[in-house]
Every structure is written in C-alpha cells, then in structure tokens.
C-alpha cells in the first residue's frame, strides 16, 4: 500500500495532535491586507457622501432629499432646499433599464408618496394641493398641471400607481404586483406569454402561507434526519435505501393518480378564466409524473449496481454517528456558517449600493445628474467582486477546518473520556491561533479557478445567439473543465485541511500528503466515500420528495385556482438547500474519518507500540478485510481487487 507513496512523505512520520505551529503566515498577512482594502472601499464610498445619497435618495438634478443642498455648477434646479421633501418619486417607476441597472425615469423629491392610484392630471393636481406634494417637475406649478401643454412630459405617467415608501431608503415604490410583473417579464426571457407570468406570480402570492409552511416542514425533516443519523447510523443506509425506493414508487404512483383524476374531472363546470389555469396544472402534473418515472428507473439501476458496496459504508456511518453523539455542537455548525455568510453578504451588498451612488456629479445626455467614479478608483468594482468570492470561500473553508479539527481530535484521542469539554470550540481556537493562513491560501486557490469560470459564463451569456457553433462549443468546454477543476480542488482542499489538523503542516505539504494518501487508497475512495456521499444524497432526495409530495397534496386541494408550478419549485429548492446544509456536515465528517482511517491503517498495524486509533467497528472492518484477502480466490476477483489496498495498507505499515 505504501510502496507508491512519495519518498519524503513516507519518511516523515505523522504525529497527530502533537506539534502545533502557525502555518502559511504570509498568506494570512495577504488576506488581512485584502480585507483592509475592502474596508477602504466601504470607507471611501461613505466618506464621499454616498451613504446620504443611498439612504435619503436624490433627484435627477443631484439634490439629496430631506436636506438643504449646495448648488452644482452648470446644472439647473440643483442646490434646492428639500428639507420638507423626504421621499424620491419616479415619474415612470416601472420603466427599468436592465443594461445600466437603473430606472429610466425622472426622479423628484416629494413630501409624500401617493397612497392611492391617481388616474388623471386633476387627481395629481388635487393630491399636490391637499398634501403639499408636487409630483410634476419643479418648473411646473400645481395650478398649471391641467392647463400646460408640457404636462404630458413633465408630469408622471398616468395612471400614477399607488405607492409606499421603502423602509429606511425613502423611495416611493409601487404596491401593485402588476408593476413588479413587468420587471420579471424583462428579466425572464423564456416566457413569451405575459399572461402565464402573471398567473405564476399570482400563484406564489396566493400560496404564500403554504410555501412558508412547507419550508418549515423541510427544516423539521432535516433536523429529524440528523437525529436519526446520530442514533441509528448502523441501519441508516438500509433505512434510507428502503424509504427512497418506497418514496419514489409511491410519489410516482400518486402523481399518475392525480393526473388521471384531474384529466377525468368535468371541465364544463369551470369558468373560462379558470379553465386555462386547470389546463396548466394538468400539463404540469403530466411533466412531473414522467420525470418521476424516469428518476425512479434510474435510481433502481444505480442501486442495483451499488448494492454489494453498501455494506462497506456502514462502518464509517456508525463511527460518524458516534462523532455526533460526542460532538453535538456539530449539528449547529451550518447555522453559524450561514449566519456569518449572511452578515458578510449584507455588508457586501450595502457597500455595492454605496459604490453605485459615489463619485462626482456628471451631467448626462438628457441633462440629468449621474454620479460616476473617474480614474483608477473606477476599478474598485472588480476588487469588490473578488472580495465577495474570496471571503465567502474563506468562511466556508473555516467551517471545513473547524469540522476537520474537531473530528481529528475525536479520532486520535484513544480514551474518549480525555476529549476536550467542547471539541468544536477547541478546534475554533486552533484555527484562529495556527491555521488561518492555510485557510486563506486554500480559499484563494478556489477563487483563482472560480473567477475565470464566471467571466467565461458572463461572456457566454452576452454572446448568446451571436457566436458560431465552434466558438460556443469551445466556450462551454472551457466552462465545464473549470467547473470540474473547481470540484476536484474543493475535495483536495477539504482533505488538505484534515491533514493540517492532524500534523499542523502548511497548505502545500498537507495537500501533497493528502493526495498521496488518496491515491494509495483510490479504490477505497471509490467504494466507501462515494457510496457514503450517495447515501447522503438519497437523504436529501427523501427530504425533497417528502416536502414536494406534501406541497402537491396541499396545493392541489386548495380552494383557489392558481398555477402552483412556481410555488412547488420554490419549496423544493428551499428543501434541497436546507437538507444540503445539514447533511453536508455529516458528509464532511465521513470524509474526515475516511482520511484518518487511511492514515491510521498506513502507519499502524495493531501491534504493541503501533496500536490503532480507530474505533472497534473499524477494527473489525480491517480484520474482515484481511480475512477476505486470504479467501480472495474463493470470493471472486472483483472483491479481491477492492479489498487489496486495505490489507496491504495495514500490513505494510
């Protein structure tokens, strides 16, 4: 097993949890300098007045609403006193310019937003006289609204929709959903029939209580599955397999039954407005039923191929269940990571909004004011985007290192009574004291791969329909290769963090050591790790299918006739996201245990002085593998090949 290892890696003995030293300090300093640059961007945008323009808003002449303004040279109507006018009002709020990311409309500062629809200029005039809020341009008096020939240009587009100020941002936003549908129509290019889009949005709004309830159900199911994993991990693989088989069969049968039932229902009693919705739901049921049938067949074929290897996963799953019993705080790790990501994303979006309103006042072709950054500072956008990717990857890498450190401490502590009181907090402490540089370097490598892929995806979207077939094929191939490289590096990084947690080496050394171990145990990676990931994927499928089936039953029998395709998609996506957040921790624990197990079998053989660190269940697994090697001629060539690396790895240690 160790004959193919790197000579230096073989000579250097692994010393789990012994020597601790800071790793990759230059990368930590580089990351700190990068974060200081991110802070400079935020400070610059706030210091240049962008915060006031973002929060209070400004009109098309550069005046900030709610305060007295200074005169801008060469720009009419600037320098106005808007102390009493605290809200931004757009003459045509639904006219969105997607390319330049702004509303193509004249903006004014007004004293109040129209809470009711204004159908005529007389209504606009009456609103101005009653509330003291002029909705037409500053050079037109309220008494001239109905008499001036310029009213059609200087006054808002009729009818003026009812609007309400956005909390904290003082913009008058339309409250009618039809206006937002126009935004969606501009963003969604695959919908050619506007009536379909309106029905989809109506279905979401009508079913919002059901959507919230189903999202809560997916959260509860995920937590229940985590509890099940902790206490019945030995039979979890078989339970998941049986449940997924029954669930896929039952779900497919229910879908075909609902389709047949709805197809037989009389259409004469349905009014014409509801007939189209009923036909859309029937078509959606047919698509769901066919998709479920295809999925069930594929699932059966995969399970048929992998049925002999399922037993190899049970030992690691059993130990992983014990890890969660000894380290219960692991269950809450996704919450802390998600909370940290949300805080950073909120900061990033806020700074992005600041950048959108910073810079010097410039008059555009229409004579209105825009704020633009000139010189080298205009490239702060790119720096800010790179920061989004790198820091997000850094937060996710911190989670991986924390989990790896806690699981490594559990595995290589022979007497579990000597475990730290809170291994998770001890792992966080080691991460902060020794390994932040390693995490910064690993996350930067992922960023280097992710940025080119995102640039290529952006170029592909911009050239859609314009490039020839050869260029399109090359572009998609590059995107696919970069995606595969990113996934491979993610897997290698996670194992490098585990190696760092074991030996406290720098990132490159840890990645090399982890790679050597993985290559030596390639068959075990395929047989154990992949099957384990597949079983956890079945758990995600089970949660999504259960939530989706409950959604179909609830949405199908609600009183209102609404298109529930979009609500169901939203619920299933949320259910998969929640299940992934929870089960990815379990998947991470299994991966860390696998690398620890491979290292343990390589350098120890159970003899005095070289005792195994592993759990008794894994020891039984090793002994059974050795016995199977002796009976390889009887058990078949395929099984012998699969068990050979394990036996040789243990015997050669």
């Amino acid at each position: 097993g160790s004959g193919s290892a790197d000579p230096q890696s073989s000579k250097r003995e692994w010393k789990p949890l012994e020597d601790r030293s800071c790793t990759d300090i230059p990368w930590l300093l580089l990351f700190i300098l990068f974060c200081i640059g991110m802070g400079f961007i935020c400070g610059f945008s706030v210091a240049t007045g962008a915060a006031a323009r973002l929060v209070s808003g400004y009109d098309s002449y550069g005046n900030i609403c709610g305060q007295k303004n200074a005169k801008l040279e060469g720009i009419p109507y600037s320098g106005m006193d808007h102390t009493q006018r605290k809200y931004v009002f757009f003459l045509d709020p639904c006219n969105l310019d997607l390319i330049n990311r702004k509303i193509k409309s004249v903006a004014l500062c007004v004293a109040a937003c129209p809470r009711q629809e204004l159908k005529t200029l007389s209504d606009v005039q009456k609103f101005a006289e009653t509330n003291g809020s002029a909705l037409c341009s500053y050079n037109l008096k309220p008494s001239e609204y109905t008499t001036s020939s310029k009213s059609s240009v200087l006054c808002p587009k009729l009818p003026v929709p009812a609007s309400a100020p956005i909390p904290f941002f003082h913009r008058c936003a339309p409250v009618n959903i039809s206006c937002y549908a126009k935004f969606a129509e501009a963003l969604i290019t695959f919908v050619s029939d506007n009536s379909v889009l309106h029905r989809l949005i109506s279905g979401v709004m009508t079913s919002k209580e059901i959507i919230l309830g189903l999202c809560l159900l997916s959260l509860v199911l995920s937590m229940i599955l985590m509890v099940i994993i902790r206490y019945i991990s030995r039979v979890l693989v078989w339970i998941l397999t049986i449940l997924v088989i029954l669930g896929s069969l039952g779900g497919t049968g229910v879908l075909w039954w609902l389709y047949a039932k709805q197809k037989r229902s009389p259409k004469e009693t349905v009014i014409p407005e509801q007939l189209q919705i009923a036909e859309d739901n029937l078509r959606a049921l047919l698509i769901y039923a066919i998709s479920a049938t295809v999925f069930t067949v594929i699932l059966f074929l995969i399970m048929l191929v992998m049925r002999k290897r399922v037993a190899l996963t049970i030992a690691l799953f059993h130990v992983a269940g014990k890890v969660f019993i000894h380290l219960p705080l692991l269950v809450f790790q996704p919450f802390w990571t998600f909370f940290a990501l949300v805080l950073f994303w909120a900061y990033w979006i806020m700074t992005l909004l600041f950048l959108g309103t910073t810079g010097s006042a410039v008059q555009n072709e229409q004579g209105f004011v825009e704020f633009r950054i000139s010189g080298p500072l205009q490239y702060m956008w790119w720096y800010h985007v790179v920061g989004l990717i790198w820091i997000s990857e850094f937060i996710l890498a911190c989670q991986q290192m924390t989990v790896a450190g806690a699981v490594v401490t559990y595995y290589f502590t022979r007497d579990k009574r000597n475990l730290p009181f809170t291994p998770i907090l001890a792992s966080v402490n080691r991460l902060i004291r020794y390994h932040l540089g390693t995490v910064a370097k690993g996350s930067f490598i992922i960023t280097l791969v992710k940025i080119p892929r995102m640039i290529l995806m952006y170029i592909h979207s911009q050239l859609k329909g314009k490039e020839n077939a050869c260029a399109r094929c090359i572009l998609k191939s590059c995107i696919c290769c970069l995606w595969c490289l990113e996934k491979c590096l993610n897997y290698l990084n996670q194992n490098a963090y585990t190696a760092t947690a074991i030996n406290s080496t720098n990132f490159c050394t840890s990645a090399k050591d982890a790679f050597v171990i993985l290559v030596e145990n390639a068959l075990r990676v395929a047989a154990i790790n992949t099957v384990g990931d597949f079983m956890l994927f079945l758990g995600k499928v089970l949660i999504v299918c259960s939530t989706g089936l409950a959604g179909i039953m609830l949405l199908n029998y609600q009183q209102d006739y609404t298109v529930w395709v979009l609500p169901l998609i939203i619920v299933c996506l949320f259910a998969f996201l929640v299940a992934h957040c929870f089960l990815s921790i379990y998947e991470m624990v299994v991966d860390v245990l696998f690398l620890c197990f491979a290292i343990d079998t390589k350098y120890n053989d159970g003899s005095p002085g070289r005792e195994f660190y592993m759990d008794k269940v894994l020891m039984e697994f090793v002994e059974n593998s050795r016995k199977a090697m002796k009976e390889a001629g009887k058990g078949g060539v395929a099984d012998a090949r699969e068990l050979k690396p394990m036996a040789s790895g243990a015997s050669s240690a």
Side-chain angles (χ1 to χ4, degrees):
S2 61
S4 60
D6 180 40
Q8 295 181 357
S9 177
S10 299
K11 292 178 183 178
R12 184 174 53 79
E13 193 74 17
W14 290 64
K15 299 177 181 179
L17 308 178
E18 290 187 11
D19 299 328
R20 290 293 166 195
S21 59
C22 294
T23 55
D24 296 297
I25 295 178
W27 282 94
L28 176 59
L29 296 177
L30 177 63
F31 181 75
I32 292 174
L33 289 175
F34 185 87
C35 291
I36 292 174
M38 292 283 290
F40 168 78
I41 292 176
C42 182
F44 169 80
S45 58
V46 173
T48 53
R53 286 193 289 269
L54 174 64
V55 176
S56 300
Y58 61 95
D59 61 15
S60 296
Y61 308 100
N63 300 299
I64 299 177
C65 299
Q67 69 179 48
K68 192 173 182 179
N69 297 273
K71 178 70 176 178
L72 299 176
E73 186 178 353
I75 298 176
Y77 306 111
S78 63
M80 299 182 66
D81 185 0
H82 285 325
T83 307
Q84 303 301 323
R85 301 171 179 175
K86 299 181 179 180
Y87 304 103
V88 180
F89 176 77
F90 297 96
L91 300 188
D92 189 6
C94 295
N95 189 6
L96 181 67
D97 184 359
L98 292 177
I99 297 177
N100 296 316
R101 301 178 299 276
K102 62 181 181 180
I103 297 176
K104 292 174 59 177
S105 170
V106 177
L108 304 174
C109 292
V110 298
C113 301
R115 296 304 183 101
Q116 295 180 348
E117 186 181 56
L118 307 177
K119 298 181 180 180
T120 64
L121 286 175
S122 298
D123 295 338
V124 176
Q125 185 180 43
K126 184 178 179 181
F127 178 80
E129 293 172 349
T130 304
N131 299 278
S133 183
L135 303 182
C136 296
S137 295
Y138 301 137
N139 58 337
L140 193 64
K141 299 179 180 179
S143 59
E144 300 174 347
Y145 286 0
T146 57
T147 58
S148 176
S149 58
K150 299 181 181 180
S151 297
S152 58
V153 179
L154 301 179
C155 288
K157 183 180 178 181
L158 297 175
V160 179
S163 59
I166 300 176
F168 307 110
F169 288 99
H170 302 89
R171 269 78 167 179
C172 296
V175 297
N176 191 349
I177 193 174
S178 63
C179 186
Y180 296 114
K182 294 180 181 178
F183 283 91
E185 289 164 12
L187 292 170
I188 302 174
T189 57
F190 61 84
V191 178
S192 58
D193 184 9
N194 292 342
S195 61
V196 173
L197 183 61
H198 282 280
R199 290 199 299 272
L200 289 174
I201 296 175
S202 175
V204 173
M205 296 303 296
T206 305
S207 311
K208 55 182 179 296
E209 292 85 3
I210 295 179
I211 293 175
L212 291 175
L214 291 172
C215 290
L216 181 62
L217 174 64
S218 66
L219 181 63
V220 172
L221 289 176
S222 299
M223 297 186 73
I224 291 175
L225 187 58
M226 289 296 293
V227 174
I228 291 174
I229 288 175
R230 282 184 56 186
Y231 293 105
I232 58 170
S233 56
R234 187 180 291 273
V235 295
L236 174 67
V237 174
W238 302 114
I239 291 177
L240 280 178
T241 303
I242 295 172
L243 285 177
V244 169
I245 291 175
L246 294 178
S248 58
L249 285 174
T252 304
V254 169
L255 286 172
W256 282 112
W257 174 73
L258 289 174
Y259 171 74
K261 180 181 178 182
Q262 202 166 102
K263 190 175 182 180
R264 290 196 305 266
S265 62
K267 302 293 189 300
E268 294 79 8
T269 58
V270 181
I271 62 178
E273 289 78 8
Q274 298 175 348
L275 182 60
Q276 183 62 41
I277 295 178
E279 292 178 355
D280 290 340
N281 288 338
L282 184 64
R283 193 181 303 111
L285 271 176
L286 179 60
I287 294 173
Y288 290 153
I290 295 175
S291 302
T293 303
V294 173
F295 173 79
T296 302
V297 172
I298 294 175
L299 192 64
F300 276 6
L301 292 176
I302 293 175
M303 288 185 168
L304 189 64
V305 172
M306 302 181 74
R307 70 187 188 279
K308 291 183 179 180
R309 297 184 174 184
V310 169
L312 299 176
T313 313
I314 295 179
L316 278 178
F317 267 58
H318 179 71
V319 179
K322 288 186 176 181
V323 170
F324 279 95
I325 293 176
H326 286 87
L327 283 67
L329 291 180
L330 275 178
V331 178
F332 301 99
Q333 192 61 37
F335 289 106
W336 305 122
T337 304
F338 180 73
F339 181 69
L341 285 172
V342 167
L343 286 181
F344 170 68
W345 290 340
Y347 159 81
W348 189 88
I349 293 172
M350 187 62 65
T351 305
L352 183 68
L353 294 175
F354 285 152
L355 282 175
T357 55
T358 194
S360 304
V362 179
Q363 197 170 14
N364 60 17
E365 297 79 6
Q366 290 79 28
F368 301 128
V369 172
E370 294 180 354
F371 292 92
R372 298 174 186 171
I373 305 176
S374 58
L377 293 177
Q378 62 183 316
Y379 300 107
M380 288 191 299
W381 293 88
W382 294 101
Y383 191 97
H384 196 56
V385 171
V386 173
L388 171 67
I389 302 173
W390 191 5
I391 298 178
S392 296
E393 291 294 332
F394 178 84
I395 294 173
L396 293 173
C398 284
Q399 171 182 269
Q400 293 175 350
M401 180 65 86
T402 300
V403 174
V407 177
V408 164
T409 300
Y410 171 84
Y411 188 95
F412 288 106
T413 301
R414 297 188 188 277
D415 188 355
K416 306 307 179 188
R417 292 174 295 181
N418 295 330
L419 282 171
F421 178 68
T422 51
I424 289 289
L425 295 182
S427 179
V428 171
N429 178 52
R430 287 196 301 271
L431 167 65
I432 296 174
R433 292 178 61 187
Y434 303 116
H435 304 314
L436 285 179
T438 299
V439 170
K441 187 174 183 178
S443 57
F444 181 76
I445 292 174
I446 300 298
T447 304
L448 283 182
V449 178
K450 185 165 288 190
I451 289 177
R453 183 169 66 87
M454 294 178 65
I455 293 174
L456 290 178
M457 291 174 64
Y458 175 76
I459 294 174
H460 181 263
S461 64
Q462 293 298 310
L463 298 179
K464 202 167 187 178
K466 299 178 182 177
E467 77 277 17
N468 55 42
C470 182
R472 183 169 58 251
C473 180
I474 294 174
L475 202 57
K476 288 185 176 180
S477 299
C478 292
I479 294 173
C480 182
C481 291
L482 287 174
W483 181 84
C484 294
L485 178 60
E486 181 185 335
K487 294 301 178 184
C488 293
L489 287 176
N490 267 319
Y491 182 72
L492 182 60
N493 276 14
Q494 181 177 325
N495 286 280
Y497 299 146
T498 303
T500 298
I502 296 173
N503 250 19
S504 194
T505 50
N506 61 41
F507 178 82
C508 291
T509 303
S510 300
K512 181 188 68 175
D513 293 342
F515 181 76
V516 169
I517 294 294
L518 292 175
V519 170
E520 290 178 354
N521 297 272
L523 290 181
R524 274 190 277 180
V525 172
I528 298 177
N529 202 26
T530 304
V531 174
D533 292 346
F534 179 70
M535 288 297 108
L536 294 175
F537 171 74
L538 291 184
K540 299 173 188 177
V541 170
L542 177 63
I543 292 173
V544 173
C545 290
S546 301
T547 307
L549 185 60
I552 289 174
M553 301 299 292
L554 291 174
L555 292 168
N556 186 63
Y557 289 105
Q558 69 175 354
Q559 298 296 322
D560 301 318
Y561 273 82
T562 57
V563 177
W564 38 264
V565 176
L566 189 57
L568 193 61
I569 292 175
I570 293 173
V571 167
C572 289
L573 287 176
F574 183 84
F576 182 82
L577 178 63
V578 170
H580 177 74
C581 288
F582 277 91
L583 294 182
S584 62
I585 294 296
Y586 197 89
E587 182 178 342
M588 210 177 299
V589 170
V590 172
D591 290 340
V592 174
L593 285 174
F594 174 74
L595 190 65
C596 294
F597 172 71
I599 294 170
D600 197 10
T601 55
K602 178 178 180 179
Y603 291 101
N604 300 303
D605 57 6
S607 61
R610 301 177 68 180
E611 295 87 357
F612 286 122
Y613 287 94
M614 66 183 68
D615 189 271
K616 292 181 179 180
V617 177
L618 291 177
M619 288 184 185
E620 294 175 2
F621 190 52
V622 172
E623 292 302 323
N624 292 336
S625 301
R626 290 173 174 173
K627 292 178 182 178
M629 271 299 301
K630 295 178 182 178
E631 301 175 359
K634 301 178 182 179
V637 181
D639 290 339
R641 281 201 308 267
E642 183 174 305
L643 294 171
K644 185 176 180 180
M646 181 176 297
S648 61
S651 60
S652 64

